[in-house]
Amino acid sequence: MSGNVVLHLVIFFLSIAPFTIAGAQTLIPELYRYFVTTRGHMTASEFATVVALAQIAPGPNMLVVSLLGWKVAGLAGLLATTAALIGPTSLLAYFFGRALEKLKNAPWLAVTKVALAPIVIGLMLASGTITSRAANHDAIGYVLTAAAAVMIYLTNRNPLWVLGSGALIGLAAHKLGFMTLPP
Amino acid sequence: MNEIPEKSDPANAEPRVGLGELFATFLTIGLIGFGGLAPAAHHMIVEKKKWYSPKEYVELFALCSIVPGGNILNASVIIGNRFQGGLGAITSILALMMTPLVILVILAVTYDRFSHLSEVRAATAGAASAAAGLIVGTAGKLIRGVEKSWTSLVFGLVTFGAIAIVRLPLQFVLLILVPLSILWALYRARRKAGRP
């Protein structure tokens, strides 16, 4: 029963691993589709909570994937999703890393980097949009999202500071009766 | 064609790094990496251990950003492999992931224990709204470093629209847009080089 769920998780992550560019944040729209829309493992606000917790925790942003696995199938889920995503990409880095290191001055490497940049930005904005829709239920939520985006864009503060402020404002808004809580 | 490996210059000899040292170094990076592993990794690998010169390190990261996967995780695999082969790669990435994974599980368990409190749920909802903004703001910062041209605007917008609005699968979008974008960039680079 739960073995099936874990197997399904492994197959899904193996299938998206080669498409992970610039870390796990660009995967969020696909993760949302799988965990919320297709498989119904969690609600939209639970998904948004996982994204937030993964950002609060120290470490690589790949951890959002580990936490999603944990939510669905505990320790087995965490190990399965982490290994199924990081295994293939690490193998790629292992086999091509040394070869590429020798080719680091090849002109196509610089060209590829330039070519990927706008696509990565498009993916990040899409991830932000999907997460924002999942997280926000009212105007206060959207105002918080916009304010956090501006803070991150304009300052070089540690992101934890922005997440902490968000949490405090959420708490205050709730106490004052301004905010509707997700069910 | 077989390439003969370059003989290393004795003045520039490869540092000797054992499995134990790889493990300890990457475990330390995971431990001190609160609020971002990248600064911690730079500190340990370039400043403290001097395994890479600043220039080599920048090049390593440029490389990692075009290989699928997380930059820092790929870097740990490449560094581990450089000193101790496959076993070194596995040791490095496991050591790096260990502390963050344990902290993540503690955080998740703690959250689950207290999530029945409406205060905790409200604070988390606020943090989740801010987390969405964090991703948007990071994308904004990336825009600063990008070459401003009509084509990069088009590629960015088409990617965004295909994923966020049309909701096409990521694999499909990347398989079409990445080759197109690389071909266009190659064409432009060639045209530029052709000009005197």
Side-chain angles (χ1 to χ4, degrees):
Chain A
M1 182 196 77
S2 86
N4 253 336
V5 170
V6 173
L7 184 66
H8 209 281
L9 283 171
V10 168
I11 294 169
F12 168 71
F13 278 102
L14 287 177
S15 76
I16 58 166
F19 299 91
T20 313
I21 52 174
Q25 280 183 332
T26 56
L27 291 180
I28 284 176
E30 218 50 44
L31 298 175
Y32 182 89
R33 190 204 309 277
Y34 180 85
F35 284 94
V36 181
T37 314
T38 317
R39 301 283 293 174
H41 283 311
M42 56 189 73
T43 65
S45 37
E46 283 170 335
F47 181 85
T49 303
V50 170
V51 172
L53 286 178
Q55 282 181 342
I56 291 168
N61 59 22
M62 288 284 181
L63 290 183
V64 66
V65 163
S66 316
L67 193 52
L68 285 167
W70 171 268
K71 267 283 194 204
V72 171
L75 190 60
L78 175 139
L79 295 175
T81 56
T82 310
L85 188 69
I86 289 173
T89 57
S90 299
L91 276 178
L92 281 176
Y94 175 74
F95 284 116
F96 294 112
R98 293 308 298 263
L100 284 170
E101 218 167 355
K102 292 200 179 91
L103 297 173
K104 65 192 173 199
N105 293 319
W108 61 267
L109 213 63
V111 168
T112 306
K113 217 181 156 220
V114 169
L116 284 180
I119 295 177
V120 168
I121 292 168
L123 291 177
M124 292 278 289
L125 287 174
S127 292
T129 308
I130 302 284
T131 311
S132 152
R133 273 194 225 137
N136 297 328
H137 311 274
D138 51 20
I140 289 198
Y142 282 101
V143 169
L144 260 176
T145 298
V150 171
M151 287 283 296
I152 291 288
Y153 181 74
L154 292 179
T155 70
N156 278 323
R157 277 184 193 279
N158 189 319
L160 274 183
W161 198 89
V162 175
L163 294 173
S165 311
L168 280 180
I169 295 170
L171 186 59
H174 170 65
K175 285 285 173 206
L176 298 171
F178 288 143
M179 198 168 72
T180 41
L181 277 182
Chain B
M1 192 177 74
N2 281 325
E3 273 184 79
I4 300 156
E6 287 175 320
K7 274 268 182 290
S8 58
D9 180 354
N12 197 10
E14 186 81 344
R16 283 209 177 167
V17 181
L19 281 178
E21 194 178 356
L22 279 175
F23 183 82
T25 304
F26 281 101
L27 189 72
T28 311
I29 294 173
L31 273 172
I32 63 176
F34 269 86
L37 287 179
H42 184 269
H43 171 73
M44 287 299 289
I45 290 163
V46 178
E47 289 158 27
K48 203 144 177 232
K49 297 281 181 181
K50 297 191 170 41
W51 291 345
Y52 280 70
S53 74
K55 185 169 171 283
E56 284 174 325
Y57 192 74
V58 169
E59 287 166 351
L60 174 69
F61 266 76
L63 201 79
C64 289
S65 64
I66 66 159
V67 180
N71 289 355
I72 185 85
L73 298 174
N74 283 342
S76 75
V77 168
I78 292 174
I79 295 171
N81 183 31
R82 172 177 161 191
F83 295 124
Q84 289 290 332
L87 203 56
I90 294 171
T91 305
S92 301
I93 194 169
L94 288 183
L96 180 64
M97 295 286 291
M98 200 176 281
T99 321
L101 275 178
V102 170
I103 296 174
L104 183 76
V105 168
I106 294 173
L107 190 69
V109 170
T110 312
Y111 175 76
D112 285 342
R113 179 152 303 170
F114 294 102
S115 62
H116 61 277
L117 301 171
S118 67
E119 285 84 359
V120 172
R121 294 227 311 282
T124 316
S129 299
L134 201 151
I135 300 173
V136 175
T138 308
K141 274 189 166 163
L142 291 177
I143 292 176
R144 286 185 195 152
V146 140
E147 193 193 23
K148 311 284 185 299
S149 69
W150 282 109
T151 39
S152 43
L153 182 67
V154 169
F155 274 109
L157 283 179
V158 169
T159 309
F160 173 78
I163 300 279
I165 300 168
V166 189
R167 297 295 275 127
L168 292 173
L170 177 74
Q171 292 95 324
F172 177 75
V173 173
L174 289 184
L175 281 176
I176 291 177
L177 287 181
V178 169
L180 273 181
S181 183
I182 291 176
L183 283 177
W184 175 254
L186 279 172
Y187 166 75
R188 273 199 11 157
R190 186 157 299 175
R191 220 178 45 173
K192 237 182 220 168
R195 279 192 198 141

